[in-house]
């Protein structure tokens, strides 16, 4: 069993998506053959090389982890997936002849509280698979995404992480089983009060704007309004 993972975050190794891929690796210790890549280096530089794509096509399952950007996928990831889909049919006809279509799983994470915010983006992934001859096997949408990095040293079974960890375990089970899939997409978030999350988020915006030499009033600026 082999897995290829695409980190679709423009923040690359510092991203929540990288941490979520790492957490899936910890949940699937028996899988030694991981191929990890990032869509970002190829943004605006043309398609990734055929050799890179072929190394991903060969995996039994593909895991795409990405941040929600304006209710969709980051443009750099869309470009990467377009190249992936364009090359896949020829690879499957030739090198991959006789193999079942590759199973594709996705983890979307977002800044809003509710994991269900990622529903449309996961549906986009599903339609992408249907149009490309790939086998959509299910997705996980995680709200309060940024907390995954802040909580990385907290035990996975701790209460605050538990809803996300148990969803990740269900995803891991589907991935490890030959031909396995999630019956439905799963949506979840960390176990943290909504109002406290909102307060912490607002404090973080105020902190960031000060660091950038502006005041809290500018947070409400609408420069394109007129
Ligand atoms: C350009 C941009 C657009 C975003 N759009 C959304 C959005 O529509 N909904 C949301 O909940 N979060 C949105 N976010 C927040 C990210 O999804 C969130 O910070 C995520 O945890 C980043 O994950 P990453 O570290 O893997 O890139 C957006 C962030 C950026 C930079």
């Amino acid at each position: 069993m082999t897995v290829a993972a695409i980190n679709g975050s423009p923040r690359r190794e510092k991203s929540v998506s990288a941490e979520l891929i790492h957490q899936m690796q910890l949940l699937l210790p028996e899988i030694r053959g991981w191929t990890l890549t990032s869509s970002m280096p190829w943004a605006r530089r043309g398609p990734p090389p055929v050799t890179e794509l072929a190394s991903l096509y060969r995996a039994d399952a593909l895991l795409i982890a990405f941040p929600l950007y304006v209710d969709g996928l980051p443009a750099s990831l869309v470009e990467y997936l377009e190249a992936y889909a364009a090359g896949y049919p020829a690879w499957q006809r030739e090198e991959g002849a006789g193999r079942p279509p590759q199973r594709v799983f996705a983890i979307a994470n977002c800044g809003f509280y509710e994991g269900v915010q990622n529903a449309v983006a996961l549906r986009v992934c599903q339609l992408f698979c249907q149009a490309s001859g790939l086998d959509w096997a299910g997705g996980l949408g995680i709200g309060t995404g940024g907390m995954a990095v802040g909580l990385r040293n907290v035990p996975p079974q701790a209460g605050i992480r538990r809803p996300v960890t148990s969803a990740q375990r269900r995803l891991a089970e589907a991935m490890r089983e030959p031909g396995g899939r999630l019956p439905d997409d799963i949506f979840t978030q960390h176990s943290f009060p909504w109002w406290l999350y909102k307060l912490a988020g607002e404090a973080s915006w105020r902190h960031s704007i000060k660091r950038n030499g502006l005041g809290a009033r500018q947070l409400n600026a609408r420069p394109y309004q007129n």
Side-chain angles (χ1 to χ4, degrees):
M1 168 77 187
T2 51
V3 176
I6 302 173
N7 177 353
S9 171
R11 295 167 65 207
R12 298 167 72 168
E13 56 281 345
K14 289 191 182 140
S15 64
V16 175
S17 304
E19 173 62 22
L20 294 171
I21 291 172
H22 174 66
Q23 291 176 3
M24 292 310 296
Q25 289 182 288
L26 296 179
L27 288 171
L28 291 163
E30 74 278 19
I31 296 178
R32 307 236 173 262
W34 283 83
T35 307
L36 303 180
T37 193
S38 160
S39 52
M40 197 53 190
W42 308 106
R44 297 197 211 105
R45 274 180 47 198
V50 177
T51 45
E52 161 151 343
L53 294 176
S55 71
L56 306 182
Y57 297 148
R58 269 182 221 117
D60 298 304
L62 175 70
L63 175 65
I64 309 167
F66 64 93
L68 189 69
Y69 272 15
V70 200
D71 284 347
L73 282 62
S76 47
L77 176 62
V78 172
E79 272 178 19
Y80 193 96
L81 292 178
E82 280 170 353
Y84 196 85
Y88 184 69
W91 180 88
Q92 212 198 11
R93 254 191 330 270
E94 293 155 24
E95 206 186 315
R99 293 175 65 136
Q102 187 178 46
R103 283 181 305 143
V104 179
F105 296 89
I107 305 179
N109 92 86
C110 71
F112 283 153
Y113 185 82
E114 308 85 3
V116 75
Q117 298 276 348
N118 298 288
V120 171
L122 290 179
R123 176 94 174 114
V124 168
C125 295
Q126 179 181 15
L127 293 174
F128 157 76
C129 289
Q130 280 171 8
S132 317
L134 294 155
D135 180 13
W136 174 246
L140 172 54
I142 303 176
T144 63
M147 291 180 73
V149 170
L151 295 172
R152 60 155 66 106
N153 295 323
V154 172
Q157 66 279 9
I160 193 165
R161 283 187 64 181
R162 200 172 300 144
V164 173
T165 302
S166 68
Q168 289 171 313
R169 288 210 171 108
R170 283 167 64 194
L171 178 63
E173 273 162 34
M175 286 175 72
R176 73 159 59 88
E177 194 185 311
R181 61 193 58 249
L182 291 172
D184 293 297
D185 292 342
I186 304 172
F187 301 105
T188 190
Q189 54 276 325
H190 294 92
S191 178
F192 193 72
W194 179 88
W195 63 271
L196 212 49
Y197 186 75
K198 184 168 173 283
L199 273 187
E202 286 167 356
S204 151
W205 283 116
R206 281 196 294 271
H207 179 72
S208 299
I209 203 153
K210 269 196 197 140
R211 229 182 28 219
N212 285 283
L214 296 169
R217 271 169 166 248
Q218 269 88 23
L219 282 172
N220 297 321
R222 297 181 176 191
Y224 298 113
Q225 195 173 34
N226 300 316

